[in-house]
Structures are given as structure tokens and as C-alpha cells.
Amino acid sequence: MANTQTLAASANTVAMGTPRAADGGQTAAAHSWLPKPGRFILYAVLFIVALYYLLPMYVMLVTSLKSMDEVRAGNLLSMPTDPTVAAWVKAWGEACTGVSCGGLKGFFWNSVRMVVPAVLISTMMGAINGYILSKWRFRGSEVIFAMMLFGVFMPLQVILLPMAQTLGWLGLARSVLGLIVVHCIMGIASTTLFFRNYYVGIPDELVKAATLDGAGFWKIFFRIILPLSTPIIMVTLIWQFTNIWNDFLFGVVFSAGDSQPITVGLNNLANTSSSVKEYNVDMAAAIIAGLPTLFVYVVAGKYFVRGLTAGAVKG
């Protein structure tokens, strides 16, 4: 396996793309042509765009820390004079979401129980599919790949009725397990596309050399291909996590009662008419619903960018 390991190291360099330092140098070189006034205008425009996108988050945050008396008396942009987390506590465990008043706590954990297995399973299935369609091609593999791509562009509303019928036959309707199955099936198309296009960039000689050394299908996958897949794995994990966590359509159609995800709970809380409207609680609930995706992007956002720049989603 010595030759295979040498080839794997070379392929790793190819897969990871240009080193970070070189990227920084290229970026600096790309901006060096700008005169100082032009650079100032560029930074000013970027600052305004960033402010435009961050302003709603600021309004949500400061409103969630105010009492309702202060919300009614003040304006949207004013800072809270007496900050309180009472709205957060109520949104988490006491706010009414329709006829029940248990807050978002149950919906949040339903989403966690749904997202974690759905993301891991769909990512693993995409990696295996991409590995087969790029390194173990067979007659008709390109046709199968082209047919799978329909799933990327297919409107989600098209599959609602057949998927509901299938879940009913399987006895998974209105359950968290049913949502996991739906998101795994719908995620396979995009994850296969990501991994297949990424693995095309890994030299076929690597697989041939490993085959000559006696490695089989799974040994090549786990010992050679998978260690080279860090950029595309990070891209796919973040992509799938964001899509599944923020999904509302499947959640409202294929779940009910105790199996509903956080997006459905947030919708029920914001639209309930059984209590006085509390905008601070609504804002706190919206931030709670968005915190996991914000956390993922803050922690792993740099890996997402590196994966994209390393050619993880090139066509």
C-alpha cells in the first residue's frame, strides 16, 4: 500500500486546492489594483450590506430583551433600559402554541432528533453514491446520475401526495421517524451531486493502484477516498443541516402533535390567537429557532468556504 499512500497524499493536495496562505496572497494581489479611494468605497459598500443584513437580527435581539411595556413605549432600534430574559424563558417553556402552552421546548428537541440522523444518513449515502458513480462506473451509470439530478430541481410540492401515501403504507405517518425518512430520500440527490462531482477530481490512478495492492471496494472507500473528503463532507453537512432544520413544508405536512419540528412550533406560536400578542416572546422564539444554524455557520462557516473554494460543488 506504500504506492497507494503516496498517491493519496498527492491527491489530498489536489483535493484540498491551493493552500490558505496562497489564497490570502492571491486575494491581496487581486485587491492591490484598487486605489485607496476605490478601496474605501468598496469597504463602505460591504459595511452597508452587512449592516442591512444584521439590522433585523439586532431588532429581534433588543426586542426580546425588553418587557412589553417598553416595547409599546419605545421604538424598534432603542436599547432595552432594563434588560430581562423573561421573554426567552416564556418562549422556551410557557408560550402558547395553539391549544397547548408548553413553549418551543418540545418542538426544538423534535428537530434535534430529526436533523442529526437525517443529516448523517443522507451525507453517508451521498458519499457512497458519489464514490460508485465516479470511481466504479458501469453501463448506465451516467443515465442513473442524470435521473438522480431530477431530484435536485424537482418542486417539493410534487412529492407530497406520493410521499404521504408511502409513509402511510410504512406506518411512519405523523412521526419523527417518518420525517427522517423523507429528508434522507430528498437529500440523496443533492448529496450525491456534491460527492460525485468532488470525487471526479480525485485521480482514477489512485483507485487502480489500491486495487493492484489488493484493496477492495470498501477498503478503498474508507482508507483512501473518505480521508480525502473533508472539504465536501463539511459542505454537505452544513448544507443538509441548514435545509432540514429550516424546513417547514415537510414538517407541517408529515408531522402532527408531539412530532412537529421547531419551524411548525414557531409558526403556531406567532399565529396563535388564544393569548395577548407578545412581540418580545415572538422575537425570542424566532432567535431560539435560528440559533442552531447560526451556531453551525459561526463554528464551521470557514470550512464551508474552504470546501467551496476547493471545488467541492464544481460542475
Side-chain angles (χ1 to χ4, degrees):
M1 295 286 287
N3 294 333
T4 305
Q5 292 173 352
T6 303
L7 285 171
S10 302
N12 191 20
T13 304
V14 173
M16 292 296 292
T18 308
R20 190 178 182 183
D23 285 346
Q26 289 177 357
T27 304
H31 293 168
S32 62
W33 60 272
L34 284 173
K36 287 185 178 180
R39 199 176 308 173
F40 174 78
I41 294 174
L42 174 63
Y43 291 154
V45 170
L46 292 176
F47 177 77
I48 293 173
V49 172
L51 193 63
Y52 175 80
Y53 282 101
L54 290 176
L55 190 58
M57 176 60 72
Y58 168 78
V59 172
M60 292 171 62
L61 183 62
V62 296
T63 304
S64 70
L65 297 175
K66 298 176 182 175
S67 64
M68 274 307 296
D69 291 337
E70 191 175 354
V71 171
R72 295 190 186 97
N75 60 66
L76 286 176
L77 299 179
S78 63
M79 294 289 291
T81 55
D82 186 17
T84 174
V85 295
W88 288 72
V89 174
K90 186 170 184 177
W92 178 253
E94 303 171 7
C96 292
T97 54
V99 295
S100 64
C101 295
L104 292 180
K105 181 171 54 179
F107 299 97
F108 183 91
W109 292 119
N110 283 341
S111 284
V112 172
R113 290 193 293 137
M114 172 189 69
V115 167
V116 173
V119 169
L120 294 179
I121 293 173
S122 60
T123 300
M124 180 55 70
M125 294 180 73
I128 296 173
N129 289 343
Y131 171 54
I132 295 172
L133 293 173
S134 61
K135 300 303 175 191
W136 297 86
R137 298 187 187 93
F138 52 90
R139 180 176 295 179
S141 61
E142 292 298 327
V143 176
I144 293 176
F145 177 62
M147 293 177 66
M148 292 185 70
L149 288 183
F150 281 113
V152 178
F153 307 104
M154 184 184 300
L156 299 180
Q157 292 79 2
V158 173
I159 61 97
L160 293 182
L161 285 178
M163 189 66 76
Q165 186 74 52
T166 304
L167 292 178
W169 287 338
L170 297 175
L172 301 177
R174 300 182 175 184
S175 67
V176 174
L177 183 57
L179 287 177
I180 294 173
V181 172
V182 171
H183 284 296
C184 286
I185 293 174
M186 295 308 298
I188 287 176
S190 56
T191 57
T192 300
L193 172 67
F194 291 169
F195 279 99
R196 186 265 183 191
N197 288 350
Y198 183 79
Y199 288 156
V200 165
I202 297 177
D204 292 339
E205 289 76 12
L206 195 63
V207 176
K208 293 177 182 177
T211 305
L212 291 175
D213 287 344
F217 178 90
W218 292 112
K219 191 171 185 178
I220 294 173
F221 178 68
F222 285 109
R223 296 284 297 275
I224 298 175
I225 298 297
L226 211 54
L228 299 175
S229 307
T230 303
I232 188 60
I233 288 176
M234 296 305 300
V235 169
T236 307
L237 288 176
I238 295 173
W239 177 273
Q240 283 295 93
F241 182 89
T242 305
N243 284 341
I244 297 174
W245 184 273
N246 291 332
D247 170 71
F248 174 76
L249 179 63
F250 292 159
V252 76
V253 172
F254 298 127
S255 67
D258 295 336
S259 65
Q260 291 178 322
I262 185 75
T263 48
V264 178
L266 179 62
N267 175 73
N268 294 345
L269 186 150
N271 293 313
T272 185
S273 57
S274 60
S275 59
V276 178
K277 195 66 176 174
E278 296 176 293
Y279 294 104
N280 53 350
V281 176
D282 290 351
M283 297 297 179
I287 297 176
I288 290 173
L291 274 180
T293 50
L294 289 174
F295 175 79
V296 167
Y297 271 107
V298 169
V299 173
K302 61 181 180 181
Y303 299 106
F304 186 77
V305 175
R306 288 180 190 174
L308 294 177
T309 56
V313 293
K314 64 185 178 182

